[in-house]
Each structure stands twice: as C-alpha cells, then as structure tokens.
Amino acid sequence: MIRILFNKFKKLDMAILFILILLMIGSFFIIRSAIHGEARYDNYDYKTLIFYGAGFFVAILTVLFDYRLLLKTWYISYGIGIVLLVAVYFFAPPINNARSWFELPGGLLFQPAELMKILLIIALAYWIGRREGSPLLFTSDLLPIALVALLPFMLVMIQPDLGNAIIYLVILLGMLWIGNVKYSHVLIGLVTIIAMLMLFVSLFETYNAEIKTYLQEKDKTHWYQRINTFIHPDTATNDEKHQSRNAMIAIGSGGLAGDGYLQGDSKNGRFIPYPYSDSIFVVIGEEFGFQGAALLLLLYFLLIYRMIIISFQCYDMRGSFIIIGIASMFVFQIFQNIGMMIGIMPITGITLPFVSYGGTSLLINMICIGIVFSIRAHQVKPEGA
C-alpha cells in the first residue's frame, strides 16, 4: 500500500509545482502592495497564503483519487452544480449588483459559478469521449453537448456574471476542437457566432437609449457602461471609460522596469477598483513594468505548456479532454483579464488565475491542477501500445 502511494506521489509534475510556488510568492507580495494603506482589506495577503496552503494540500491529495470516478459520476456532480447555480440566485445576498456568492461562516464567500467550471469540463469530457476520437455527429453529439454547456451559461448570465458565463463557452469551444469536430460544423458555428455578434451590436446601437434606461432601472448601469465603452471607445463618457482609461495610464507609467514595489499610485480604489482582484495586473504593470509582466506571462506559458505535454502523454482520451478544457479555461482567463486592462477586451469580473485575491477561484484552480496530477498518475498503458 505504501509503495502504491509512493508511486502515485512520484508522478507529481514537479515543474508545475515549482511554477505554482513562484506564483504563490508573487501573489502574496503583489496583493500586499495592492492593499497597502487600505485597512479594510487588511490580511488579504495572509489569507491568500492560507488559501494556497489549502489548495496545495487538495491538489497533492487529489493524486490518490482516480479521476475516472469523476467521469463515471459526472451527472451527479453536474446536477449538484446546477442546483447551486439556481440556489444562489434565490438565496444569496446581492453583492456588487449580482447574486453570485453564498456567505459562509467566518466572512468567507463561495461562488458556485467557479465550481461549475470544472464540473462542466468533466461533463463535456464524458460526452465527447463517447466517440473515442471519431468525428462528432451533429444530432447525437453536438446538440446534447451544447445543451450541457448552455444551461449553466444561462443560469450564470442572469446572476449576472458575464465573465464566468463566457468562460463556459470558451471551455466548450476548446474541448470541441480537440474532440474532432467536423470542419463543416466549425464553419456553421463561426457563421452563427459572427451573425449573433453583428445582431447584438446592431440592436445595441439601434436601441441604445432604451437599453440604457432599462439597465438603469434595473440598477445595472455598469453593464451598459462596459458594453458602450468597448463598442464606442471614442464616444464613451469619461465616467464610462474610467476604469479602462486609468488602467492603461497606470500600466503605461510603469515603463520597462516599473515604479518600484509599493511605489505605484493606482492602488487607491477611486483610481482603479479592486486592485487586489480583477485589476491586479495594473499593479504588476505599474510597479514592475514590462519586465515584471513578461515574467508573469512566461510562468503562465510554462504552466500551460506542461499541461499540454501531459495531455499528449495520456493513453486515456477523456483524460486529455479534461486537461485541454482546463488549459482552455486558464488561457482565456489570462487573456481576458490582461486584455481588459490594456483596452483590447471588454471589462468583466474575471480574475487573474493564481495571482488575484479570491478564495473560491484559487481553490478551484488548484483542484483543477490536482485533477491534472491525477490524470498523469493514473495512466495505464494499453496492451500492445
């Protein structure tokens, strides 16, 4: 028994563990800088270390858990996730104009939309894996797969949480691509997406005043501001461009080497909101400059690279699908978070993986890494392979 456990732990990817340790150290110091001088956010840096400690424990312990059991019971975990998404809408208190978090004892917050990411990946891996690498059929495969993803997408949209809802679609697209979707179906999907985006922009411009009035009545003016700033950056008001404009100014002021640790001026909440969470890349760009941002991107690249290598080494196709789903999620979150800070993506509430403050998102991300470890540890070479 001890030998079996030792063999499982021996298959931990040490490169990924080392990268995560570096991200943990960086996250601690960056969050400390982001909350510097803000008493109301006191101890967020040390809480991050606690979350990381719990995350490492869970990730390493997950190696002993056979990920194939998750695939066999996908409908149970997926159903629990859907129930939580419904419950949070009715029973969670409104925070930042959204019903997305359950309040737990000790002042902790739990966001079911974060948990649903990995539950969706497992469900999609099961459905796509049924074809065992054969091209996906439209009626028997693509339609039920799309429904599995669209149900949580709609539930999260009405919270409203646009950022996490979009991540569900990105996970779906990434896993369909690796799941051998037909090019004709890809073309149909692209045409449909482009047509829907064009229709959305057209309706937004045609009924701009009505949409603005309606969202103001629903106390969701920030939705209008974010969309209007992205579609009409030149005509948006100063209030609407406040966050994106100030973020670009702060990042640009960092230059090549940055202003120095704890020396950034953007951390005042009136200049950049949530500098310890959604806007933490602004702190990195301002205080560490291009060099610090490039180092962070290099760590992300190495993390994704190692995950893809592990997926290539899988004998079980569904294990590969899970890893690609997780990698797709991480890549989009990184691109979206940084992109919205430099003005190439609309503002959403997506955090920077492994760096931003946030207990639920960090723990879910670490569980995802643990599942990657489990997939690597439980690969069995087929006979004759």
Side-chain angles (χ1 to χ4, degrees):
M1 181 65 179
I2 296 178
R3 185 175 181 179
I4 294 175
L5 294 177
F6 177 76
N7 288 334
K8 296 298 182 185
F9 283 123
K10 192 168 63 173
K11 292 182 180 180
L12 283 170
D13 192 282
M14 301 310 296
I16 290 180
L17 278 177
F18 181 67
I19 292 169
L20 290 177
I21 290 173
L22 292 179
L23 289 172
M24 176 186 69
I25 295 171
S27 176
F28 172 79
F29 286 105
I30 295 167
I31 291 175
R32 166 169 282 195
S33 177
I35 64 175
H36 183 66
E38 293 283 350
R40 54 180 172 164
Y41 302 132
D42 195 25
N43 293 327
Y44 274 24
D45 46 356
Y46 289 105
K47 285 182 179 179
T48 296
L49 290 182
I50 294 174
F51 291 137
Y52 252 111
F56 274 115
F57 176 78
V58 172
I60 294 174
L61 196 63
T62 306
V63 176
L64 304 177
F65 183 82
D66 193 336
Y67 73 96
R68 288 169 291 192
L69 182 60
L70 295 174
L71 291 167
K72 292 178 181 178
T73 59
W74 72 270
Y75 53 92
I76 298 176
S77 59
Y78 178 83
I80 292 173
I82 294 299
V83 170
L84 289 174
L85 290 180
V86 174
V88 77
Y89 183 78
F90 289 102
F91 302 111
I95 300 176
N96 296 331
N97 297 313
R99 294 182 180 272
S100 302
W101 297 270
F102 285 117
E103 290 187 345
L104 303 179
L108 299 177
L109 298 176
F110 168 65
Q111 189 174 11
E114 292 284 349
L115 176 62
M116 193 66 216
K117 294 175 187 176
I118 185 59
L119 301 183
L120 176 62
I121 290 171
I122 293 169
L124 293 177
Y126 170 84
W127 277 91
I128 297 174
R130 296 191 314 161
R131 298 292 298 170
E132 298 181 347
S134 299
L136 298 173
L137 303 177
F138 185 79
T139 303
S140 59
D141 296 318
L142 289 181
L143 285 183
I145 288 171
L147 289 175
V148 167
L150 289 177
L151 178 56
F153 170 82
M154 295 302 298
L155 290 174
V156 172
M157 277 292 292
I158 64 176
Q159 290 183 2
D161 184 353
L162 177 62
N164 279 318
I166 293 176
I167 290 176
Y168 297 160
L169 297 184
V170 171
I171 290 171
L172 172 64
L173 295 176
M175 295 183 70
L176 283 178
W177 184 258
I178 199 67
N180 201 8
V181 64
K182 295 181 179 179
Y183 288 112
S184 58
H185 295 159
V186 173
L187 181 60
I188 293 172
L190 287 176
V191 171
T192 302
I193 292 173
I194 292 172
M196 291 179 65
L197 288 175
M198 293 177 63
L199 177 62
F200 174 81
V201 173
S202 176
L203 291 174
F204 184 81
E205 292 182 342
T206 303
Y207 300 100
N208 191 285
E210 290 84 352
I211 293 173
K212 183 176 183 179
T213 302
Y214 175 78
L215 291 176
Q216 285 177 338
E217 293 175 352
K218 296 295 183 179
D219 197 24
K220 291 180 174 56
T221 306
H222 63 290
W223 272 53
Y224 173 84
Q225 292 176 345
R226 291 176 176 181
I227 298 172
N228 192 56
T229 300
F230 185 71
I231 296 178
H232 303 120
D234 297 329
T235 60
T237 66
N238 288 333
D239 287 340
E240 292 171 351
K241 294 188 293 185
H242 172 80
Q243 183 172 355
S244 60
R245 180 193 60 193
N246 290 352
M248 288 187 283
I249 291 173
I251 293 172
S253 70
L256 179 63
D259 297 334
Y261 185 58
L262 297 178
Q263 301 303 311
D265 296 324
S266 68
K267 293 168 293 189
N268 187 308
R270 293 185 295 275
F271 192 78
I272 295 294
Y274 308 112
Y276 56 88
S277 181
D278 300 355
S279 306
I280 199 165
F281 184 75
V282 177
V283 180
I284 298 171
E286 184 181 24
E287 298 191 353
F288 301 97
F290 175 80
Q291 295 175 348
L295 177 60
L296 176 64
L297 290 177
L298 176 61
L299 290 177
Y300 280 138
F301 170 79
L302 294 175
L303 176 65
I304 301 301
Y305 171 77
R306 283 302 307 162
M307 291 173 61
I308 293 175
I309 292 298
I310 294 173
S311 74
F312 285 164
Q313 295 171 345
C314 283
Y315 297 110
D316 178 16
M317 197 167 292
R318 287 178 175 173
S320 293
F321 293 155
I322 292 176
I323 295 176
I324 294 302
I326 294 172
S328 300
M329 177 182 72
F330 286 160
V331 168
F332 178 75
Q333 287 185 214
I334 295 165
F335 176 76
Q336 168 62 29
N337 182 275
I338 296 176
M340 69 184 183
M341 292 297 107
I342 60 177
I344 64 173
M345 294 293 285
I347 300 293
T348 60
I350 292 180
T351 56
L352 193 58
F354 303 106
V355 177
S356 294
Y357 175 81
T360 304
S361 61
L362 179 56
L363 288 175
I364 296 302
N365 288 341
M366 294 297 281
I367 290 173
C368 289
I369 295 297
I371 292 175
V372 174
F373 289 160
S374 175
I375 292 171
R376 186 171 190 262
H378 289 87
Q379 291 302 304
V380 179
K381 188 176 183 179
E383 294 184 6

